[in-house]
Amino acid sequence: SDQNDEVMDNALEWKGCAEMLPSEFQPQVQRIWNLWCKNRAELQEIYHQLPTSVFQADLNSSNILIDEKGSFVGVYDFNLSGKDVLLNYLIREMNWPDDDEEELNLIKSAIKIVESVYTFSMIEKYAALMVYRCIKPLWWTRVQRLKKAANDYSAIQECLDKVESMLTRNVDFFA
């Protein structure tokens, strides 16, 4: 319901790029879009039940406070912070566009770290895969990859296959 829904903006940008692909790719493009919309609709049904917290949304090395021993002591600069669902934050912020498996492992690792100080509810555990499928497959990195593929049919097919795999793959983030 956010007026500035960057997830939807990215998905629509991906769709716009994908609809410009040659006609032989269109059945898969439509299948991908239908999968994404189905996932988003399922997530919308339960999203309001997910707990929210305030997050620092500009986390980078200049905002991390480290003591003289190199240990983390805090976060500085909360001018870009806001209320969000923890799963959104964890999944959205892990972004390694060149290695999808590493990205997935980083998300799982971040969840494990958070679990040491936070107990995920059953609804959060249930929603994790839907959040992943809603954010990652059509995120800006996928848009860039699709644009980069240009007229290389093999690269286009690889991009589409990866996105479709992300939308159908079962991942247990809490195993």
Side-chain angles (χ1 to χ4, degrees):
S1 65
D2 189 350
Q3 288 181 341
N4 297 316
D5 183 352
E6 66 184 339
V7 173
M8 179 59 90
D9 290 346
N10 281 291
L12 290 172
E13 185 177 357
W14 182 91
K15 185 178 186 246
C17 290
E19 287 176 339
M20 301 301 291
L21 296 173
S23 62
E24 55 263 47
F25 295 110
Q26 293 311 307
Q28 187 175 19
V29 166
Q30 190 57 53
R31 194 168 58 243
I32 288 168
W33 185 251
N34 290 342
L35 284 166
W36 188 84
C37 288
K38 178 181 177 278
N39 182 76
R40 184 172 172 88
E42 289 175 17
L43 183 58
Q44 280 181 308
E45 289 181 25
I46 63 166
Y47 194 80
H48 64 281
Q49 298 174 43
L50 297 174
T52 58
S53 297
V54 174
F55 292 95
Q56 210 283 7
D58 184 27
L59 198 56
N60 62 60
S61 60
S62 68
N63 293 338
I64 304 294
L65 299 175
I66 308 236
D67 67 15
E68 58 280 346
K69 296 177 187 174
S71 298
F72 172 80
V73 292
V75 178
Y76 177 73
D77 184 11
F78 275 84
N79 66 332
L80 289 176
S81 64
K83 188 174 172 185
D84 201 351
V85 170
L86 177 58
L87 289 170
N88 282 353
Y89 186 76
L90 291 175
I91 290 171
R92 190 176 55 237
E93 294 304 314
M94 295 298 138
N95 203 11
W96 297 87
D98 293 330
D99 188 341
D100 299 317
E101 289 304 312
E102 181 65 17
E103 178 180 67
L104 195 55
N105 288 333
L106 285 169
I107 293 169
K108 289 179 182 180
S109 176
I111 286 173
K112 289 287 182 219
I113 291 167
V114 170
E115 280 185 310
S116 70
V117 294
Y118 176 81
T119 302
F120 287 94
S121 67
M122 291 307 292
I123 193 77
E124 287 174 297
K125 289 180 179 183
Y126 174 72
L129 182 59
M130 285 184 273
V131 171
Y132 172 78
R133 287 178 175 172
C134 199
I135 292 175
K136 286 300 183 181
L138 305 186
W139 195 242
W140 71 271
T141 54
R142 301 279 161 224
V143 175
Q144 299 311 309
R145 287 180 186 180
L146 198 55
K147 287 179 178 178
K148 187 177 176 182
N151 294 321
D152 180 343
Y153 279 44
S154 176
I156 292 169
Q157 190 63 64
E158 184 179 333
C159 286
L160 295 178
D161 288 347
K162 183 61 182 177
V163 167
E164 191 165 13
S165 171
M166 292 173 80
L167 284 163
T168 57
R169 178 180 183 181
N170 283 320
V171 178
D172 184 354
F173 290 99
F174 299 92

